[in-house]
Amino acid sequence: MSIIDYSQKIPNNVDLSSDRTLQRALELWQPNFLSWWGDMGPEGSHQHDVYLRTAVSAEPSGWAHFDYVKMPDYRWGIFLAPQEVDRKIHFGEHLSKPVWQEVPGEYRANLRRIIVTQGDTEPASVEQQRHLGQTAPSLYDLRNLFQINVEEGRHLWAMVYLLHRYFGRDGREEADALLQRRSGQENNPRILGAFNERTPDWLAFFMFTYFTDRDGKFQLCALAESSFDPLARTTKFMLTEEAHHMFVGDTGLSRVVRRTAQLMKQSPHEDVRAAGGIPLEIIQKYINFWFSYSLDLFGGEISSNSADFFAAGLKGRFKEQDQYTDHIAAEGSFVMEVVEGGKLASREVPLRNALNEVLRTEYVKDCGKGLARWNKALADEGVIARLYLPNIRFHRHVGEYAGHHFDLDGNLIARDEFEQRQNEWLPTLEDREYVRSLMHPVTEPGKIANWIAPPASGIKGKPFEFEYVRL
Ligand SMILES: [Fe+2]
Ligand SMILES: [Fe+2]
């Protein structure tokens, strides 16, 4: 099961040819996917030869093969992590029973909704990033963008396979709808807020891959615990691909910060703008914006859905198996700050109803690691200023804090004050225009734009000067 069969129209390791009906249905969906890719995939990429990785096996050891691929010829396929023998449900009300290989009727609607919501983010991000190839700071970065784009396309395949295989006719309809919604489109937008935000410049792209893809990591980790085994196996394999996306964001931001620090030191009065770099204040405002939008993706702090999903065994906690001992979580509580009578007050919430917040707390911890690395780049270059994460209450649009106003430290403030000060905290139109003014494509191997430092190493042992994209 684990070797991927590339002789078929749809590469897969799920023995697709043994189920003719399913195979035919997916082969009918395939041209629609390709036409979506043609319309909404990376602009101007269709003639490029790109040094890409393709999955050749779903085994953790040596799963990827690197070579030049013409972008539209990338082989999107269906790859599930190997099945664990005798896997048992390890949390919720069905603890210790065998995992499900088919969808239990009572959970069908919820599972479908989980899969559709996850699936929708994948093409959304490709749509959000489709113009970025026109302004890549180097061929190395251009290649990374395209790698992420093709893999998000593959993640869509991963979810569409589940919909077709396990949800019959409504699954097929949902799969079609995934190709019809469009990021940012008013009458038929993508499901989640952050996936309708524009990603118009490379600073936003690195923020997206650091903060928003990281939400993806935590959602996928929670689903990799699922009692619905095909979902667990699918998301497990997606996580191996996802790691690179976050690496691109993390190292991308490190490189931007390092370059900014260098320009601060080089220019009199630390005037980064005059030197053609991105000032630290703008980087901080982008962090404030993308971090807050990505926090919203975890859903409300107090959520009966999260309780239901956990009790049913559909969605676990982060590292449920390794990190917790009480896998029922029916007792215990979680204390969080909520707004009550115009003030912040502590409220104790039953643990299961606070699981979105539990997952979000893990996420925040993980986000902090990047900040430490970027601040180290500042320290290395002799700059005293530091970057930080705003308080989780700042600039939220979902959950307990939505509709209230907070400063960067999480103090409740009046709307007026927020409106007066938001230009200090969030990117202004002018900030965005300035960043955009720096975005010029650099397409010569070994060359890089002035606003970002080169990476410490290349891809797959190749040097930075390697011709990662043949234009
Ligand atoms: Fe993805
Ligand atoms: Fe991703």
Side-chain angles (χ1 to χ4, degrees):
M1 281 286 269
S2 63
I3 294 300
I4 291 165
D5 179 1
Y6 271 91
S7 69
Q8 292 198 48
K9 235 176 168 178
I10 302 170
N12 71 89
N13 69 346
V14 294
D15 201 10
L16 192 57
S17 57
S18 70
D19 185 340
R20 291 310 245 213
T21 320
L22 174 64
Q23 187 179 34
R24 226 168 302 131
L26 285 165
E27 283 177 2
L28 282 175
W29 188 82
Q30 189 176 36
N32 299 335
F33 169 82
L34 290 172
S35 109
W36 167 80
W37 180 266
D39 293 346
M40 298 312 292
E43 194 187 341
S45 70
H46 301 315
Q47 289 307 315
H48 297 348
D49 275 311
V50 189
Y51 189 69
L52 291 177
R53 72 175 179 192
T54 305
V56 285
S57 138
E59 301 289 340
S61 56
W63 61 274
H65 172 75
F66 288 76
D67 207 349
Y68 284 102
V69 177
K70 254 222 184 348
M71 280 287 272
D73 298 340
Y74 188 82
R75 301 295 309 277
W76 288 277
I78 300 159
F79 317 135
L80 271 61
Q83 186 165 2
E84 253 174 69
V85 215
D86 284 337
R87 184 169 169 252
K88 298 278 188 290
I89 294 174
H90 59 272
F91 64 94
E93 304 294 345
H94 306 291
L95 191 74
S96 303
K97 299 207 181 105
V99 291
W100 315 313
Q101 298 304 334
E102 294 294 332
V103 177
E106 53 184 321
Y107 303 137
R108 193 183 153 87
N110 275 342
L111 273 170
R112 194 182 62 205
R113 177 161 153 215
I114 288 172
I115 291 166
V116 167
T117 308
Q118 177 62 43
D120 192 65
T121 65
E122 315 290 357
S125 69
V126 174
E127 292 165 0
Q128 287 170 295
Q129 295 161 14
R130 72 178 299 254
H131 301 299
L132 290 171
Q134 306 289 320
T135 55
S138 71
L139 289 182
Y140 164 89
D141 290 290
L142 184 60
R143 178 263 168 212
N144 285 344
L145 169 72
F146 290 159
Q147 181 73 65
I148 291 174
N149 294 157
V150 291
E151 283 172 352
E152 300 304 8
R154 205 206 67 70
H155 292 175
L156 172 60
W157 271 95
M159 294 297 115
V160 163
Y161 166 72
L162 294 178
L163 290 169
H164 270 242
R165 165 70 181 79
Y166 297 98
F167 294 89
R169 191 200 173 136
D170 13 323
R172 290 192 293 277
E173 283 170 7
E174 294 283 13
D176 291 342
L178 286 169
L179 294 177
Q180 283 152 9
R181 284 187 286 274
R182 290 284 182 275
S183 175
Q185 200 177 74
E186 214 156 296
N187 50 7
N188 197 13
R190 293 293 172 184
I191 296 169
L192 299 170
F195 290 87
N196 289 301
E197 289 297 324
R198 298 182 54 235
T199 316
D201 61 69
W202 278 75
L203 184 59
F205 171 65
F206 292 136
M207 294 286 168
F208 181 97
T209 43
Y210 188 77
F211 288 109
T212 310
D213 265 326
R214 190 171 307 273
D215 156 71
K217 166 186 162 180
F218 280 81
Q219 300 302 334
L220 293 175
C221 280
L223 296 177
E225 306 285 338
S226 184
S227 313
F228 178 42
D229 201 40
L231 177 61
R233 291 171 56 207
T234 306
T235 46
K236 223 184 234 171
F237 188 68
M238 289 162 76
L239 279 163
T240 48
E241 294 168 317
E242 204 60 54
H244 175 67
H245 308 180
M246 284 173 290
F247 164 87
V248 168
D250 190 357
T251 53
L253 290 171
S254 258
R255 292 160 54 209
V256 175
V257 169
R258 184 174 295 279
R259 185 64 185 146
T260 294
Q262 289 165 352
L263 294 172
M264 283 169 82
K265 290 282 119 181
Q266 279 168 25
S267 57
H269 318 297
E270 303 198 333
D271 188 353
V272 178
R273 278 179 190 249
I278 304 178
L280 274 186
E281 310 87 75
I282 294 187
I283 298 175
Q284 182 63 56
K285 289 185 195 178
Y286 269 62
I287 291 174
N288 299 343
F289 179 88
W290 284 98
F291 178 63
S292 56
Y293 263 111
S294 303
L295 288 172
D296 282 339
L297 294 170
F298 289 82
E301 283 71 17
I302 303 169
S303 160
S304 58
N305 269 337
S306 80
D308 293 345
F309 293 175
F310 184 87
L314 309 183
K315 187 174 168 186
R317 285 169 291 188
F318 181 61
K319 298 188 174 164
E320 177 70 43
Q321 211 157 3
D322 306 337
Q323 197 169 226
Y324 296 92
T325 46
D326 166 20
H327 298 293
I328 302 284
E331 282 146 35
S333 55
F334 189 96
V335 180
M336 59 177 83
E337 300 287 301
V338 294
V339 182
E340 256 169 21
K343 273 202 206 115
L344 274 174
S346 297
R347 187 188 299 169
E348 205 174 324
V349 180
L351 184 54
R352 276 189 188 174
N353 291 74
L355 291 179
N356 286 343
E357 192 58 13
V358 171
L359 196 59
R360 187 166 19 232
T361 305
E362 295 282 351
Y363 167 82
V364 173
K365 242 198 282 170
D366 207 40
C367 286
K369 293 178 190 162
L371 268 294
R373 277 189 289 269
W374 311 334
N375 282 333
K376 180 162 181 307
L378 289 175
D380 287 350
E381 301 294 333
V383 166
I384 294 160
R386 293 292 177 264
L387 296 163
Y388 50 87
L389 292 176
N391 184 277
I392 54 165
R393 294 189 283 276
F394 174 73
H395 189 239
R396 292 287 301 280
H397 298 83
V398 169
E400 292 296 313
Y401 310 121
H404 301 286
H405 296 87
F406 298 90
D407 65 13
L408 291 178
D409 295 320
N411 300 308
L412 192 59
I413 56 174
R415 172 196 280 265
D416 285 358
E417 190 183 349
F418 181 85
E419 277 166 6
Q420 271 165 32
R421 299 194 60 190
Q422 64 172 332
N423 287 350
E424 295 166 41
W425 296 334
L426 294 166
T428 61
L429 204 58
E430 198 232 316
D431 295 332
R432 291 179 192 277
E433 292 285 307
Y434 174 71
V435 173
R436 198 120 52 125
S437 76
L438 300 177
M439 302 289 130
H440 298 292
V442 177
T443 54
E444 217 177 305
K447 293 273 160 48
I448 189 152
N450 180 53
W451 54 268
I452 183 169
S457 54
I459 296 294
K460 193 68 185 159
K462 300 269 188 268
F464 172 66
E465 295 74 25
F466 183 71
E467 193 176 8
Y468 289 100
V469 182
R470 293 185 185 140
L471 303 168

